[in-house]
Amino acid sequence: HCHAAAVRVLVETLGRDAAGAPAKGGWTPAHFACGAEGDATDVVAYLASMERGSINTPDKQGRTPAHIAARRGNVKSLQVLLRSIGGDAALVVDSQGATIVHAAAYGGHTEAVRAAVACCGVRCLAVRDNDGRLALDSARRRGHEGTVEWMLAAAPGLADAAAPPPGDTAPLGKYRVSNVEAKRWQRAAFLKAAAESVQAAVSSPSAAAAPPVVLLLDDASLPDEPGQEGGRSCAGDILRLGVAPPPVTLVIPNPCAAARAAIAADCGSAPNVDLRASLSGPVVAALAGTASVAAVWLDYCDSLDHGTNRDDVRALFTAGVLRRDTPSTVALTFSWRGAADAKHGPPKDGRAYLAAFRRRLTAFVAACATDGGAAVEEVTPFTQQGQLFFGVFRCRPLGIAVG
């Protein structure tokens, strides 16, 4: 708890510099006041009057007292700081590139977000952190729906500002992006592209003879949280979004128990969800020549250097599985850990290796498409997420116009 009278006595006794003296870690008295559990508005106001020019001094992690107030939801203290410093305080970023709006959104403190926008305007909602995330993305990831709704009402254009890939540029073996977070983003990217391909297939003259199929291979069918019974499934998302109205068939080979529970909760006994107890190769073989797959997510590839993986991906393009009258969506997840890595250890220059691996993947997909008499265009270029690379492509049979 903070006591304004005591702070005033200390400053008057020790001198004006005491109001801004940093402790270990770089926290000033203003940081501690803004992080207090009780209402310390009077202390913050007093410190602001004494240290008007330096009240918002950052700590060693770049966090200002305003960041701390926003993260804790101490709205009154935040408002005092913003009045003292001005609207630019809402645009100051910490070492992670986060503004006070990111901090407030992370904690679901809608009133703190409102205070920042009132001072700075909606431009502060458009700032991205070092991982490319908006404050809106932070609120969504934490499940703060009320904060999300308020930000979308204040700046409707944010709805179209999808978060960029959670790319991970950290050294090999040190990943900032969790598997769950990456999977959520991958699912959103796949669904957006698949929706267009499936709707085009449903509207095509051949839809009756060759009903569109959406393939979800291996982990693409998992719920949001690994092992979470009844979690959201990609199959359920497709049905909820209206991407796959009958007669579209969702083929999900060999789903694990968690995926089955999620699909059952989402889809019930939907007749157009086919849970086949087989792996990807036999499924592709069974569909060969049907030209029925409008969208596919192959999410099990151990490495580009794995012969079976290469053969399965090539078969998607060459076995007559993808549609021949409308463009199809192909999403692929590959691991950069190949046989060479296991044999020789991690590459010395990790970033150069990963950049080269990305180029190999893109060239491989283009070559597979050429072998299958098609051309591909990148919808989502291969993006690193931890040990994985994820990419989405639009496969257009040669002779079919773009668009």
Side-chain angles (χ1 to χ4, degrees), residues 116-266:
V117 172
C119 182
C120 178
V122 294
R123 59 178 177 151
C124 63
L125 298 178
V127 178
R128 296 185 184 274
D129 65 15
N130 293 348
D131 290 324
R133 300 188 187 93
L134 300 169
L136 177 69
D137 301 317
S138 297
R140 276 178 170 162
R141 289 171 58 218
R142 301 287 293 178
H144 302 309
E145 296 301 327
T147 306
V148 170
E149 291 176 5
W150 188 91
M151 286 191 282
L152 289 176
L158 291 177
D160 298 323
D168 192 341
T169 57
L172 298 181
K174 297 180 180 179
Y175 310 119
R176 296 181 303 188
V177 180
S178 70
N179 289 336
V180 172
E181 180 183 357
K183 182 67 67 179
R184 286 173 177 165
W185 183 86
Q186 291 172 7
R187 176 179 301 172
F190 172 72
L191 287 173
K192 182 177 180 180
E196 299 178 10
S197 293
V198 172
Q199 292 296 348
V202 169
S203 303
S204 70
S206 66
V213 169
V214 175
L215 274 175
L216 301 177
L217 302 181
D218 207 344
D219 288 347
S221 61
L222 283 173
D224 280 347
E225 304 286 348
Q228 175 186 340
E229 296 296 321
R232 289 164 61 92
S233 67
C234 198
D237 280 343
I238 290 176
L239 294 178
R240 270 192 298 275
L241 292 175
V243 172
V248 174
T249 297
L250 293 169
V251 177
I252 307 172
N254 198 30
C256 65
R260 284 183 178 274
I263 294 164
D266 283 345

Side-chain angles (χ1 to χ4, degrees), residues 69-82:
R71 181 65 175 266
R72 293 294 180 87
N74 291 334
V75 179
K76 292 182 180 179
S77 294
L78 179 61
Q79 290 171 328
V80 168
L81 290 171
L82 293 176

Side-chain angles (χ1 to χ4, degrees), residues 2 9 31 79 87 93 128 132 139 149 172 197 201 211 218 235 259 286 304 312-313 357 366-367 400:
C2 290
V9 169
H31 283 91
Q79 290 171 328
V93 298
R128 296 185 184 274
E149 291 176 5
L172 298 181
S197 293
D218 207 344
L304 183 59
D312 284 348
V313 174
F357 187 74
I400 301 297

Side-chain angles (χ1 to χ4, degrees), residues 27-388:
W27 271 39
T28 64
H31 283 91
F32 287 103
C34 288
E37 294 183 3
D39 183 4
T41 308
D42 51 351
V43 176
V44 175
Y46 173 70
L47 293 172
S49 69
M50 297 295 292
E51 292 291 319
R52 193 176 189 87
S54 58
I55 184 66
N56 216 35
T57 300
D59 65 9
K60 292 184 178 180
Q61 296 181 13
R63 297 173 301 180
T64 66
H67 279 94
I68 304 304
R71 181 65 175 266
R72 293 294 180 87
N74 291 334
V75 179
K76 292 182 180 179
S77 294
L78 179 61
Q79 290 171 328
V80 168
L81 290 171
L82 293 176
R83 284 196 298 267
S84 174
I85 304 164
D88 287 345
L91 300 176
V92 175
V93 298
D94 63 14
S95 60
Q96 300 299 314
T99 66
I100 63 173
V101 185
H102 285 91
Y106 184 88
H109 303 302
T110 306
E111 291 305 312
V113 175
R114 188 194 301 269
V117 172
C119 182
C120 178
V122 294
R123 59 178 177 151
C124 63
L125 298 178
V127 178
R128 296 185 184 274
D129 65 15
N130 293 348
D131 290 324
R133 300 188 187 93
L134 300 169
L136 177 69
D137 301 317
S138 297
R140 276 178 170 162
R141 289 171 58 218
R142 301 287 293 178
H144 302 309
E145 296 301 327
T147 306
V148 170
E149 291 176 5
W150 188 91
M151 286 191 282
L152 289 176
L158 291 177
D160 298 323
D168 192 341
T169 57
L172 298 181
K174 297 180 180 179
Y175 310 119
R176 296 181 303 188
V177 180
S178 70
N179 289 336
V180 172
E181 180 183 357
K183 182 67 67 179
R184 286 173 177 165
W185 183 86
Q186 291 172 7
R187 176 179 301 172
F190 172 72
L191 287 173
K192 182 177 180 180
E196 299 178 10
S197 293
V198 172
Q199 292 296 348
V202 169
S203 303
S204 70
S206 66
V213 169
V214 175
L215 274 175
L216 301 177
L217 302 181
D218 207 344
D219 288 347
S221 61
L222 283 173
D224 280 347
E225 304 286 348
Q228 175 186 340
E229 296 296 321
R232 289 164 61 92
S233 67
C234 198
D237 280 343
I238 290 176
L239 294 178
R240 270 192 298 275
L241 292 175
V243 172
V248 174
T249 297
L250 293 169
V251 177
I252 307 172
N254 198 30
C256 65
R260 284 183 178 274
I263 294 164
D266 283 345
C267 311
S269 57
N272 55 327
V273 178
D274 181 0
L275 304 181
R276 301 193 182 189
S278 58
L279 297 176
S280 58
V283 172
V284 171
L287 294 173
T290 62
S292 59
V293 174
V296 56
W297 183 359
L298 184 58
D299 186 30
Y300 80 103
C301 296
D302 294 331
S303 169
L304 183 59
D305 298 315
H306 192 291
T308 301
N309 295 160
R310 291 198 306 270
D311 293 344
D312 284 348
V313 174
R314 187 174 286 109
L316 288 176
F317 294 92
T318 61
V321 170
L322 300 179
R323 299 189 68 82
R324 304 299 301 173
D325 56 344
T326 57
S328 299
T329 292
V330 176
L332 300 169
T333 306
F334 275 100
S335 169
W336 58 261
R337 288 189 177 276
D341 300 322
K343 183 177 180 180
H344 302 294
K348 293 182 179 179
D349 188 345
R351 300 194 183 202
Y353 173 86
L354 294 173
F357 187 74
R358 181 183 292 108
R359 291 192 293 270
R360 284 181 61 203
L361 287 174
T362 304
F364 171 67
V365 174
C368 288
T370 299
D371 291 345
V376 292
E377 54 186 300
E378 293 180 338
V379 177
T380 301
F382 274 115
T383 304
Q384 182 199 358
Q385 297 159 343
Q387 296 181 19
L388 304 177

